Amino acid sequence: MTDVTGEPVDALHTLFHSDQGGHEQVVLCQDRASGLKAVIAIHSTALGPALGGTRFYPYASEQAAVADALNLARGMSYKNALAGLGHGGGKAVIIGDPEAFEGDRRTELLLAYGRAVASLGGRYVTACDVGTYVADMDVVARECRWTTGRSPENGGAGDSSVLTAFGVFQGMRASAQHLWGDPTLRGRKVGVAGVGKVGHHLVEHLLADGAEVTITDVREESVRRITERHPGVAVAADTGALIRTEGLDIYAPCALGSALNDETVPVLTASVVCGAANNQLAHPGVEKDLADRAILYAPDYVVNAGGVIQVADELHGFDFDRCRAKAAKIFDTTLAIFARAKSDGIPPAAAADRIAEQRMADAARR
């Protein structure tokens, strides 16, 4: 494992010229025996040890992996700050195709990764993300005590998608309160793009509250799981069709990032965007494009914080009811962001950033 110094020029260029700068530490990890190649990015420890998941993904280049780690780590600082957690932001990415690592090969890689995280002495606490699962965190924990998202059998809290979905639902309720004067989603038409780990739980909340739901997913089995249980749920052909659905009140992107971009924003029919996906804004300026079209955007890292609230609680002895109560506060946090945006005359995403940055700055001065 080495710090970024001495690494290829393209990785250095990404680190020092990224528009997501200000990171405290970036570590490039390699273990030839297991095939591990990973990046651990620590953006801030002002509020406490950095906390964020581990993404396992077949990046096209080391430069792309570093860029993703930097961006995700910064997002975790803001997410943890607004969730009121005693944690800074960090993220790790493992470079490779997760499906190519199975059985003993995957175990050896994860053990090597655990040793890399452990070498940081608690500055970074890891958890699950895209491409990694609860069972993987159980393996990592064999080498690293700074691991969350483990199974209940191994002292963990298990699947965090339940509270992630609950938090997004609270963000939707706050959006409805702000825009329509009532927190209920009864009679509202909601489109959910991506009904996997988080999305299918979100659909259950929406239906229980009386919403009309339309879904789409690239995986037919995910769609079928919903429609077999709830025949009244409509299905759009794809995301492009979903965002153009007539009469759509709320659009919930719950798959990969960059869902809000120069192609999608101009054709959105929804009045609100509130979903679980990370990094929904494809580039700076998209938040203004949404505001110019009078589309209310609930910042992703605010409303999808239920999962990180859960894994953070695991470090102190997991209590589901305590976590659910904390995740319920996402409703109030989202309303406060909308109020700040209105008073400052800025988009909600900018208001959320200002609040998070102030909390980190105040902590750094203490």
Side-chain angles (χ1 to χ4, degrees), residues 13-257:
H13 184 274
T14 297
L15 175 59
F16 292 113
H17 296 274
S18 171
D19 60 2
Q20 304 289 355
H23 296 70
E24 293 181 11
Q25 185 177 8
V26 180
V27 179
L28 303 186
C29 315
Q30 182 169 283
D31 180 75
R32 295 185 186 279
S34 66
L36 174 72
K37 293 183 72 175
V39 182
I40 301 173
I42 296 174
H43 177 260
S44 171
T45 57
L47 291 167
L51 171 63
T54 299
R55 181 165 294 191
F56 199 162
Y57 189 78
Y59 293 95
S61 65
E62 291 180 3
Q63 184 177 4
V66 171
D68 201 30
L70 293 173
N71 187 45
L72 292 167
R74 180 177 182 272
M76 288 306 304
S77 286
Y78 285 64
K79 179 184 291 190
N80 293 340
L82 282 171
L85 300 177
H87 286 280
K91 205 79 172 186
V93 300
I94 297 174
I95 304 171
D97 182 356
E99 295 184 2
F101 287 83
E102 298 180 347
D104 291 344
R105 189 182 181 204
R106 189 179 185 95
T107 297
E108 291 305 314
L109 179 140
L110 292 170
L111 290 173
Y113 171 67
R115 292 190 292 272
V117 176
S119 73
L120 296 174
R123 280 176 54 78
Y124 169 62
V125 181
T126 195
C128 300
D129 196 73
V130 175
T132 59
Y133 303 90
V134 170
D136 294 327
M137 293 304 107
D138 285 345
V139 175
V140 173
R142 287 158 54 183
E143 293 283 358
C144 177
R145 63 189 180 95
W146 295 287
T147 305
T148 62
R150 294 164 293 151
S151 67
E153 295 79 11
N154 286 280
D159 184 12
S160 64
S161 62
V162 174
L163 286 183
T164 301
F166 177 69
V168 174
F169 177 62
Q170 297 308 312
M172 284 191 184
R173 293 181 62 247
S175 300
Q177 174 69 51
H178 179 80
L179 198 60
W180 301 304
D182 192 333
T184 183
L185 299 172
R186 179 168 300 278
R188 297 294 174 188
K189 195 167 187 177
V190 183
V192 182
V195 287
K197 286 196 292 186
V198 175
H200 85 276
H201 290 300
L202 178 60
V203 169
E204 296 290 340
H205 287 299
L206 293 168
L207 293 173
D209 201 34
E212 298 177 23
V213 179
T214 302
I215 64 172
T216 189
D217 198 297
V218 296
R219 298 172 298 276
E220 291 184 11
E221 62 271 21
S222 296
V223 171
R224 189 165 55 251
R225 174 173 57 175
I226 299 290
T227 55
E228 287 179 352
R229 181 178 173 87
H230 302 288
V233 169
V235 179
D238 54 30
T239 301
L242 179 66
I243 63 176
R244 293 176 171 84
T245 300
E246 185 176 351
L248 196 65
D249 292 301
I250 302 174
Y251 170 51
C254 294
L256 295 177

